[in-house]
Amino acid sequence: MRSWHRHAMAIIGALIILSVVLTGCGTPSGNNGSQYGGTVTIAPSPYGPFTRNFNPFLPNSDRVGTLGMIYETLLSVNRLSGKASPWLASTYQWNNDATSITFNLRSDVKWTDTTDFTSADVLFTLNLLHQYPALDGGGLWKAISDISAPDAHTVVVNFKVPSVPILWYLAGQTYIVPQHIWQNIKDPTTETNPNPMGTGPFTLGSFNAQVYTLKKNAHYWQAGKPYVDALRYPAYDANAAADVLLSTGSLDWSGVFSSDLQKTYVNRDPVHNHYWFPPANVVMLYLNLAKAPFNNLAVRQAISAAIDREALSTQAELGYEPVASPTALVLPANQSYLDPQYANTKFGAADAAKAASTLEAAGFTKGSDGVYADASGHKLQFKMNVVTGWSDWVTAVQIMAQNLNAAGMKVTVNAISFNDYIAALSNGTFDSAISWTNPGPTPYYLYQSLLASSNTAPVGQAANSNYERWSDTATDQLLSQYAGSPDAQVQQQAIAGLQKIMVEQMPAIPLMEGATWYEYSTARFVGWPDEHNQYASPAPWQFPDAAVVAMNIHKA
C-alpha cells in the first residue's frame, strides 16, 4: 500500500506539474505570416441530406462542425498522442488522491452574443448531464459526487473514488453550452438546437439540406484564429460521390474511404493531393446480446470463426485496414498493453467447419434448407445493418453475409440511412451491425465505451455506446480497477483482464483495425497535420481534433 501511494503521488504530481506547464501555452500568436481568408470545402463522411440539428449531446445530430468548431471543451486532448492542452480552462489541478480536480477558466472567453463565459456555464452543463442521463455519454455522473464554482472562473469537481481516466471525458469530451440559452430548453434530449451559440472559432453561417457553412467567429478568444473565413460542408450520400469530388479537386479536406485513391486522387495532382491513414480504433461486428441467439456464446464463436477477415481487409478496405487483434487492442499503438499470453493470438482463416462443429456442440442442427436451428426450432437467421453508401462497409457486410450463409446461417444485408442506423444501434433495435469503437488516450477508453454496463440501456432506451448491451460484473470491476488507481501496474492488470474477456467471451467481434480516413489538398490551404506533424488527429469527423486542424490551416 505504501509503495502504491508513493507511485500514485509521483503520477499525480506529474499531472499537477503538467497542468502548470500548460498555463498560457494554448493560444497561438496568429502572427506567423499565415495567410488569412478562404473557404475550406469539407466532406467528412457520407452524411446527407442534412437536417438542421446542432445539439452537441445527441448521437444522431448533424454534429460535424458542431463539436469543437462551435462548442468547446475545457481541455483539448490530441487523440493521437493523448497530450492535453489548455482550452476553455487554462490550468487544472488534481488533489493528492485524485478524488478532486479544480479547473481554472479563462477570463477572456465570450459566447457569440458577447455574453461572458463563466463557471456558471460549466456547472449548468454538468448538471444538465446529471438531470438527463441520456446525455451523459461519458458516464460522468457515475463518478462525480458533487460540483461547485467558488468564483466566476473556477470549477471544482469531486469524485466518489479516485477517477483519473475521467479527465478525458470530463474535460476533453464534454462540450460546454451557454446557461442563458439552454436553461430555456424544455427537453434537451430532443432539442435540435437549430441556431447554435458557442464559444468556438466558428458560428453557423448558412444552412439547407444540401450544404451548410460555418463562418469565422470574429471575436474568438484565440486572437488571430482561425485563419480561414469559412468551412463549407456539401451533402453527399455515398463514398462514390466523394470520389468524384476528390477527383475533380473540389474538396480541400475529406475523411472518406475511396475505392481507388491513388489513381483517382493522388495521381491527378501528386504535388498537392495527399492522404494519411493513422490507425484509430477497431471495427466491430456488434451482435445484439439482449436477445437470442446472440446471447449464446457458441453462436458468437461460430459467427467469428466463419468470417473471412482477410477478405474484409484486402477486398473491402483495399489493405488500408489490417485484421484486428482478438483482444480489440489497437496495434501496434497499444502494443505495450498486450498481455503476453495473447502475443501470438490472431484470428485464423475463415473456417465454416469450425463454425458448424461449434454450433452442433451447442445443440444446433442443420435443416434441409441448410440453415442451423436451435432445439426449439428457431433458425439462425438475422439482419446485418450498415449505412447505405458506405461502400467499404457495405462490401464488408456483403462478404460476411456470404461467409455466414456458407456456414449455415441465413444473413440478410440491411443497408439503411445513417440516422436509422444510429437509432437502431442506440435503441437496441437491431440484430447485428458493423460499426466503430471509441478510442482514447489508452485502451481503457475503448474498453470502457464498448463494455461498461453504465454505457448500455434496456432495449428501447438509448445506450451511450455499449450498443451490443454487454452487462457483466467482472468487466465492470476491471474497469473500476483501472479508473480507481493511477498505478500503472494495477491499470495494466485491469487491461489484461479486459483482453481476456474480449478473447474468451466475445461481447463484440473484432474485425479490422479502423483507419483514420484523411485526404487533404495543399492547393488552396496548407498547415495540415501529417505523419511528420501529428498535432491533432486529422479526420474531419473526429472531435474536437478537427477544430484544432481547422484553426491551424491557412491559405497557401
Side-chain angles (χ1 to χ4, degrees), residues 55-102:
N55 186 327
F57 303 116
L58 300 184
N60 60 347
S61 65
D62 288 328
R63 302 199 305 173
V64 176
T66 306
L67 305 182
M69 309 290 190
I70 296 175
Y71 295 101
E72 296 186 297
T73 52
L74 296 178
L75 301 175
S76 177
V77 181
N78 183 333
R79 285 177 179 265
L80 297 179
S81 66
K83 179 184 176 182
S85 298
W87 216 251
L88 293 178
S90 57
T91 62
Y92 67 91
Q93 304 87 34
W94 285 99
N95 68 347
N96 287 340
D97 63 359
T99 56
S100 180
I101 188 169
T102 299

Short mmCIF file of all heavy atoms in Angstrom, two decimals, residues 55-102:
data_model
loop_
_atom_site.label_atom_id
_atom_site.label_comp_id
_atom_site.label_asym_id
_atom_site.label_seq_id
_atom_site.Cartn_x
_atom_site.Cartn_y
_atom_site.Cartn_z
N ASN A 55 -27.51 19.91 -31.89
CA ASN A 55 -27.46 19.56 -30.47
C ASN A 55 -26.14 18.83 -30.21
O ASN A 55 -25.91 17.76 -30.76
CB ASN A 55 -28.65 18.68 -30.11
CG ASN A 55 -28.73 18.40 -28.62
OD1 ASN A 55 -27.72 18.32 -27.93
ND2 ASN A 55 -29.94 18.26 -28.11
N PRO A 56 -25.27 19.37 -29.37
CA PRO A 56 -23.95 18.75 -29.18
C PRO A 56 -24.00 17.48 -28.35
O PRO A 56 -22.97 16.82 -28.20
CB PRO A 56 -23.17 19.84 -28.46
CG PRO A 56 -24.19 20.62 -27.70
CD PRO A 56 -25.41 20.61 -28.58
N PHE A 57 -25.16 17.13 -27.81
CA PHE A 57 -25.24 15.96 -26.93
C PHE A 57 -25.86 14.73 -27.61
O PHE A 57 -25.79 13.65 -27.06
CB PHE A 57 -26.07 16.30 -25.69
CG PHE A 57 -25.55 17.46 -24.91
CD1 PHE A 57 -26.30 18.61 -24.77
CD2 PHE A 57 -24.30 17.41 -24.31
CE1 PHE A 57 -25.82 19.70 -24.05
CE2 PHE A 57 -23.81 18.48 -23.59
CZ PHE A 57 -24.57 19.63 -23.46
N LEU A 58 -26.47 14.91 -28.77
CA LEU A 58 -27.20 13.81 -29.38
C LEU A 58 -26.34 13.07 -30.39
O LEU A 58 -25.69 13.69 -31.23
CB LEU A 58 -28.47 14.32 -30.07
CG LEU A 58 -29.47 15.04 -29.17
CD1 LEU A 58 -30.72 15.39 -29.98
CD2 LEU A 58 -29.84 14.17 -27.97
N PRO A 59 -26.36 11.72 -30.36
CA PRO A 59 -25.52 10.96 -31.29
C PRO A 59 -25.98 11.03 -32.73
O PRO A 59 -25.20 10.78 -33.63
CB PRO A 59 -25.61 9.53 -30.73
CG PRO A 59 -26.91 9.49 -30.01
CD PRO A 59 -27.10 10.86 -29.43
N ASN A 60 -27.24 11.35 -32.96
CA ASN A 60 -27.74 11.34 -34.33
C ASN A 60 -27.97 12.73 -34.89
O ASN A 60 -28.69 12.92 -35.84
CB ASN A 60 -29.04 10.54 -34.42
CG ASN A 60 -30.14 11.12 -33.55
OD1 ASN A 60 -29.85 11.96 -32.70
ND2 ASN A 60 -31.36 10.68 -33.75
N SER A 61 -27.33 13.73 -34.28
CA SER A 61 -27.44 15.07 -34.82
C SER A 61 -26.40 15.26 -35.91
O SER A 61 -25.47 14.47 -36.05
CB SER A 61 -27.24 16.11 -33.72
OG SER A 61 -25.92 16.04 -33.22
N ASP A 62 -26.55 16.32 -36.70
CA ASP A 62 -25.54 16.66 -37.70
C ASP A 62 -24.40 17.35 -36.98
O ASP A 62 -24.20 18.55 -37.09
CB ASP A 62 -26.13 17.58 -38.78
CG ASP A 62 -27.08 16.81 -39.67
OD1 ASP A 62 -26.85 15.61 -39.88
OD2 ASP A 62 -28.05 17.41 -40.14
N ARG A 63 -23.63 16.57 -36.26
CA ARG A 63 -22.68 17.17 -35.34
C ARG A 63 -21.39 17.60 -36.01
O ARG A 63 -20.58 18.26 -35.38
CB ARG A 63 -22.37 16.19 -34.21
CG ARG A 63 -23.62 15.77 -33.46
CD ARG A 63 -23.32 15.21 -32.12
NE ARG A 63 -22.38 14.11 -32.15
CZ ARG A 63 -21.88 13.56 -31.06
NH1 ARG A 63 -22.21 14.02 -29.90
NH2 ARG A 63 -21.04 12.55 -31.13
N VAL A 64 -21.17 17.19 -37.24
CA VAL A 64 -19.93 17.60 -37.87
C VAL A 64 -19.90 19.12 -37.97
O VAL A 64 -20.76 19.73 -38.58
CB VAL A 64 -19.80 16.97 -39.28
CG1 VAL A 64 -18.55 17.47 -39.96
CG2 VAL A 64 -19.79 15.45 -39.16
N GLY A 65 -18.93 19.68 -37.33
CA GLY A 65 -18.87 21.14 -37.24
C GLY A 65 -19.45 21.66 -35.95
O GLY A 65 -19.19 22.80 -35.57
N THR A 66 -20.24 20.85 -35.27
CA THR A 66 -20.82 21.30 -34.01
C THR A 66 -19.81 21.19 -32.88
O THR A 66 -19.64 22.12 -32.09
CB THR A 66 -22.06 20.44 -33.65
OG1 THR A 66 -22.96 20.47 -34.76
CG2 THR A 66 -22.75 20.97 -32.41
N LEU A 67 -19.16 20.04 -32.81
CA LEU A 67 -18.25 19.76 -31.71
C LEU A 67 -16.86 20.32 -32.02
O LEU A 67 -16.23 19.95 -32.99
CB LEU A 67 -18.16 18.25 -31.48
CG LEU A 67 -19.50 17.54 -31.25
CD1 LEU A 67 -19.28 16.07 -30.99
CD2 LEU A 67 -20.26 18.19 -30.11
N GLY A 68 -16.43 21.20 -31.18
CA GLY A 68 -15.12 21.80 -31.37
C GLY A 68 -15.17 23.07 -32.18
O GLY A 68 -14.61 24.09 -31.80
N MET A 69 -15.88 23.04 -33.31
CA MET A 69 -15.97 24.24 -34.14
C MET A 69 -16.88 25.28 -33.47
O MET A 69 -16.58 26.48 -33.48
CB MET A 69 -16.56 23.89 -35.51
CG MET A 69 -15.88 22.75 -36.23
SD MET A 69 -14.23 23.14 -36.81
CE MET A 69 -13.91 21.69 -37.83
N ILE A 70 -18.02 24.83 -32.94
CA ILE A 70 -18.97 25.76 -32.31
C ILE A 70 -18.92 25.66 -30.79
O ILE A 70 -18.78 26.67 -30.10
CB ILE A 70 -20.40 25.46 -32.82
CG1 ILE A 70 -20.49 25.75 -34.33
CG2 ILE A 70 -21.43 26.32 -32.06
CD1 ILE A 70 -21.81 25.39 -34.96
N TYR A 71 -19.04 24.45 -30.28
CA TYR A 71 -18.98 24.23 -28.83
C TYR A 71 -17.60 23.68 -28.47
O TYR A 71 -17.04 22.86 -29.21
CB TYR A 71 -20.08 23.26 -28.38
CG TYR A 71 -21.46 23.81 -28.59
CD1 TYR A 71 -22.22 23.42 -29.68
CD2 TYR A 71 -21.99 24.75 -27.73
CE1 TYR A 71 -23.49 23.94 -29.90
CE2 TYR A 71 -23.26 25.28 -27.92
CZ TYR A 71 -24.00 24.87 -29.01
OH TYR A 71 -25.25 25.40 -29.22
N GLU A 72 -17.10 24.11 -27.32
CA GLU A 72 -15.73 23.75 -26.96
C GLU A 72 -15.68 23.01 -25.62
O GLU A 72 -16.62 23.01 -24.83
CB GLU A 72 -14.86 25.00 -26.90
CG GLU A 72 -14.72 25.69 -28.23
CD GLU A 72 -13.75 26.84 -28.19
OE1 GLU A 72 -14.02 27.82 -27.45
OE2 GLU A 72 -12.72 26.78 -28.88
N THR A 73 -14.52 22.42 -25.38
CA THR A 73 -14.26 21.66 -24.17
C THR A 73 -13.30 22.42 -23.26
O THR A 73 -12.69 23.41 -23.67
CB THR A 73 -13.65 20.30 -24.53
OG1 THR A 73 -12.52 20.52 -25.41
CG2 THR A 73 -14.66 19.43 -25.26
N LEU A 74 -13.16 21.95 -22.04
CA LEU A 74 -12.26 22.62 -21.09
C LEU A 74 -10.80 22.43 -21.49
O LEU A 74 -9.98 23.33 -21.34
CB LEU A 74 -12.50 22.10 -19.68
CG LEU A 74 -13.89 22.38 -19.10
CD1 LEU A 74 -14.01 21.77 -17.71
CD2 LEU A 74 -14.16 23.88 -19.05
N LEU A 75 -10.47 21.24 -21.98
CA LEU A 75 -9.13 20.95 -22.47
C LEU A 75 -9.25 20.37 -23.87
O LEU A 75 -10.31 19.89 -24.27
CB LEU A 75 -8.42 19.93 -21.56
CG LEU A 75 -8.24 20.30 -20.09
CD1 LEU A 75 -7.63 19.12 -19.33
CD2 LEU A 75 -7.37 21.53 -19.93
N SER A 76 -8.14 20.40 -24.60
CA SER A 76 -8.09 19.75 -25.90
C SER A 76 -7.08 18.62 -25.80
O SER A 76 -5.91 18.84 -25.48
CB SER A 76 -7.67 20.75 -26.99
OG SER A 76 -7.56 20.09 -28.24
N VAL A 77 -7.54 17.40 -26.07
CA VAL A 77 -6.67 16.23 -25.95
C VAL A 77 -6.43 15.65 -27.35
O VAL A 77 -7.38 15.29 -28.04
CB VAL A 77 -7.30 15.16 -25.04
CG1 VAL A 77 -6.37 13.96 -24.91
CG2 VAL A 77 -7.60 15.75 -23.67
N ASN A 78 -5.19 15.62 -27.74
CA ASN A 78 -4.80 15.06 -29.03
C ASN A 78 -5.06 13.56 -29.01
O ASN A 78 -4.45 12.83 -28.23
CB ASN A 78 -3.31 15.34 -29.27
CG ASN A 78 -2.83 14.86 -30.62
OD1 ASN A 78 -3.37 13.91 -31.19
ND2 ASN A 78 -1.80 15.51 -31.13
N ARG A 79 -5.95 13.09 -29.86
CA ARG A 79 -6.30 11.67 -29.86
C ARG A 79 -5.12 10.78 -30.25
O ARG A 79 -5.08 9.60 -29.91
CB ARG A 79 -7.45 11.41 -30.84
CG ARG A 79 -8.80 11.86 -30.35
CD ARG A 79 -9.84 11.62 -31.42
NE ARG A 79 -11.16 12.03 -30.98
CZ ARG A 79 -12.05 11.21 -30.44
NH1 ARG A 79 -11.75 9.93 -30.28
NH2 ARG A 79 -13.23 11.64 -30.07
N LEU A 80 -4.19 11.32 -31.01
CA LEU A 80 -3.06 10.50 -31.44
C LEU A 80 -2.04 10.31 -30.34
O LEU A 80 -1.48 9.23 -30.18
CB LEU A 80 -2.38 11.15 -32.66
CG LEU A 80 -3.23 11.27 -33.92
CD1 LEU A 80 -2.42 11.95 -35.02
CD2 LEU A 80 -3.71 9.91 -34.39
N SER A 81 -1.79 11.35 -29.57
CA SER A 81 -0.73 11.29 -28.56
C SER A 81 -1.25 11.22 -27.14
O SER A 81 -0.51 10.86 -26.22
CB SER A 81 0.17 12.53 -28.70
OG SER A 81 -0.56 13.71 -28.37
N GLY A 82 -2.51 11.61 -26.93
CA GLY A 82 -3.04 11.70 -25.58
C GLY A 82 -2.62 12.96 -24.86
O GLY A 82 -2.98 13.16 -23.70
N LYS A 83 -1.91 13.85 -25.52
CA LYS A 83 -1.44 15.08 -24.89
C LYS A 83 -2.59 16.06 -24.68
O LYS A 83 -3.36 16.33 -25.60
CB LYS A 83 -0.37 15.74 -25.76
CG LYS A 83 0.16 17.04 -25.18
CD LYS A 83 1.15 17.70 -26.12
CE LYS A 83 1.61 19.05 -25.58
NZ LYS A 83 2.55 19.72 -26.52
N ALA A 84 -2.69 16.57 -23.45
CA ALA A 84 -3.73 17.55 -23.13
C ALA A 84 -3.18 18.96 -23.25
O ALA A 84 -2.07 19.25 -22.81
CB ALA A 84 -4.25 17.31 -21.71
N SER A 85 -3.97 19.84 -23.85
CA SER A 85 -3.61 21.25 -23.97
C SER A 85 -4.73 22.09 -23.36
O SER A 85 -5.89 21.70 -23.38
CB SER A 85 -3.44 21.64 -25.44
OG SER A 85 -2.39 20.91 -26.03
N PRO A 86 -4.40 23.25 -22.79
CA PRO A 86 -5.44 24.10 -22.23
C PRO A 86 -6.39 24.60 -23.31
O PRO A 86 -6.00 24.81 -24.46
CB PRO A 86 -4.64 25.25 -21.61
CG PRO A 86 -3.35 25.26 -22.33
CD PRO A 86 -3.06 23.83 -22.72
N TRP A 87 -7.61 24.78 -22.93
CA TRP A 87 -8.60 25.30 -23.89
C TRP A 87 -9.48 26.28 -23.12
O TRP A 87 -8.99 27.35 -22.71
CB TRP A 87 -9.40 24.17 -24.52
CG TRP A 87 -9.72 24.44 -25.96
CD1 TRP A 87 -10.94 24.74 -26.50
CD2 TRP A 87 -8.78 24.46 -27.04
NE1 TRP A 87 -10.82 24.94 -27.85
CE2 TRP A 87 -9.52 24.79 -28.22
CE3 TRP A 87 -7.41 24.26 -27.15
CZ2 TRP A 87 -8.91 24.89 -29.47
CZ3 TRP A 87 -6.82 24.36 -28.40
CH2 TRP A 87 -7.57 24.68 -29.53
N LEU A 88 -10.75 25.98 -22.85
CA LEU A 88 -11.55 26.92 -22.04
C LEU A 88 -11.00 27.00 -20.62
O LEU A 88 -11.19 28.01 -19.94
CB LEU A 88 -13.01 26.48 -22.03
CG LEU A 88 -13.76 26.58 -23.36
CD1 LEU A 88 -15.18 26.06 -23.23
CD2 LEU A 88 -13.76 28.02 -23.88
N ALA A 89 -10.37 25.96 -20.16
CA ALA A 89 -9.63 26.01 -18.90
C ALA A 89 -8.16 26.24 -19.21
O ALA A 89 -7.59 25.56 -20.06
CB ALA A 89 -9.81 24.71 -18.12
N SER A 90 -7.58 27.20 -18.54
CA SER A 90 -6.16 27.49 -18.78
C SER A 90 -5.26 26.57 -17.97
O SER A 90 -4.14 26.27 -18.38
CB SER A 90 -5.86 28.95 -18.45
OG SER A 90 -6.22 29.24 -17.11
N THR A 91 -5.74 26.12 -16.82
CA THR A 91 -4.99 25.17 -16.00
C THR A 91 -5.97 24.26 -15.27
O THR A 91 -7.17 24.54 -15.20
CB THR A 91 -4.11 25.86 -14.94
OG1 THR A 91 -4.95 26.59 -14.04
CG2 THR A 91 -3.10 26.80 -15.59
N TYR A 92 -5.43 23.18 -14.72
CA TYR A 92 -6.22 22.33 -13.83
C TYR A 92 -5.27 21.69 -12.83
O TYR A 92 -4.07 21.55 -13.09
CB TYR A 92 -6.99 21.27 -14.62
CG TYR A 92 -6.14 20.22 -15.29
CD1 TYR A 92 -5.81 19.04 -14.63
CD2 TYR A 92 -5.66 20.41 -16.58
CE1 TYR A 92 -5.03 18.07 -15.25
CE2 TYR A 92 -4.88 19.46 -17.19
CZ TYR A 92 -4.55 18.30 -16.53
OH TYR A 92 -3.78 17.34 -17.13
N GLN A 93 -5.81 21.31 -11.68
CA GLN A 93 -5.01 20.65 -10.65
C GLN A 93 -5.82 19.52 -10.02
O GLN A 93 -6.98 19.71 -9.64
CB GLN A 93 -4.60 21.63 -9.54
CG GLN A 93 -3.86 22.87 -10.02
CD GLN A 93 -4.80 24.00 -10.40
OE1 GLN A 93 -5.87 24.16 -9.79
NE2 GLN A 93 -4.42 24.77 -11.41
N TRP A 94 -5.19 18.33 -9.93
CA TRP A 94 -5.76 17.24 -9.14
C TRP A 94 -5.39 17.44 -7.68
O TRP A 94 -4.35 18.02 -7.36
CB TRP A 94 -5.18 15.90 -9.59
CG TRP A 94 -5.69 15.37 -10.90
CD1 TRP A 94 -5.09 15.46 -12.12
CD2 TRP A 94 -6.89 14.62 -11.09
NE1 TRP A 94 -5.84 14.84 -13.07
CE2 TRP A 94 -6.95 14.30 -12.47
CE3 TRP A 94 -7.91 14.19 -10.25
CZ2 TRP A 94 -8.00 13.57 -13.01
CZ3 TRP A 94 -8.95 13.45 -10.78
CH2 TRP A 94 -8.99 13.16 -12.15
N ASN A 95 -6.20 16.94 -6.77
CA ASN A 95 -5.76 16.87 -5.38
C ASN A 95 -4.86 15.63 -5.21
O ASN A 95 -4.61 14.89 -6.16
CB ASN A 95 -6.95 16.84 -4.41
CG ASN A 95 -7.74 15.55 -4.49
OD1 ASN A 95 -7.56 14.77 -5.43
ND2 ASN A 95 -8.61 15.31 -3.54
N ASN A 96 -4.39 15.41 -4.01
CA ASN A 96 -3.37 14.39 -3.81
C ASN A 96 -3.84 12.97 -4.10
O ASN A 96 -3.04 12.12 -4.50
CB ASN A 96 -2.82 14.46 -2.39
CG ASN A 96 -1.92 15.68 -2.22
OD1 ASN A 96 -1.42 16.23 -3.21
ND2 ASN A 96 -1.74 16.11 -0.99
N ASP A 97 -5.09 12.66 -3.84
CA ASP A 97 -5.54 11.28 -4.05
C ASP A 97 -6.46 11.14 -5.26
O ASP A 97 -7.17 10.13 -5.40
CB ASP A 97 -6.21 10.74 -2.80
CG ASP A 97 -7.48 11.52 -2.44
OD1 ASP A 97 -7.80 12.50 -3.16
OD2 ASP A 97 -8.15 11.16 -1.45
N ALA A 98 -6.43 12.11 -6.14
CA ALA A 98 -7.18 12.05 -7.41
C ALA A 98 -8.68 11.91 -7.20
O ALA A 98 -9.38 11.29 -8.01
CB ALA A 98 -6.65 10.93 -8.30
N THR A 99 -9.20 12.47 -6.11
CA THR A 99 -10.65 12.46 -5.88
C THR A 99 -11.27 13.83 -6.14
O THR A 99 -12.48 13.98 -5.97
CB THR A 99 -10.98 12.03 -4.44
OG1 THR A 99 -10.29 12.91 -3.53
CG2 THR A 99 -10.55 10.60 -4.19
N SER A 100 -10.46 14.79 -6.55
CA SER A 100 -10.99 16.13 -6.81
C SER A 100 -10.10 16.83 -7.83
O SER A 100 -8.87 16.67 -7.82
CB SER A 100 -11.04 16.95 -5.51
OG SER A 100 -11.55 18.24 -5.77
N ILE A 101 -10.73 17.57 -8.72
CA ILE A 101 -9.98 18.32 -9.71
C ILE A 101 -10.55 19.74 -9.79
O ILE A 101 -11.77 19.94 -9.71
CB ILE A 101 -10.02 17.62 -11.09
CG1 ILE A 101 -9.08 18.30 -12.06
CG2 ILE A 101 -11.43 17.57 -11.65
CD1 ILE A 101 -8.88 17.51 -13.35
N THR A 102 -9.65 20.69 -9.91
CA THR A 102 -10.04 22.10 -9.99
C THR A 102 -9.63 22.66 -11.35
O THR A 102 -8.47 22.52 -11.75
CB THR A 102 -9.37 22.93 -8.89
OG1 THR A 102 -9.78 22.43 -7.62
CG2 THR A 102 -9.75 24.40 -9.00
#
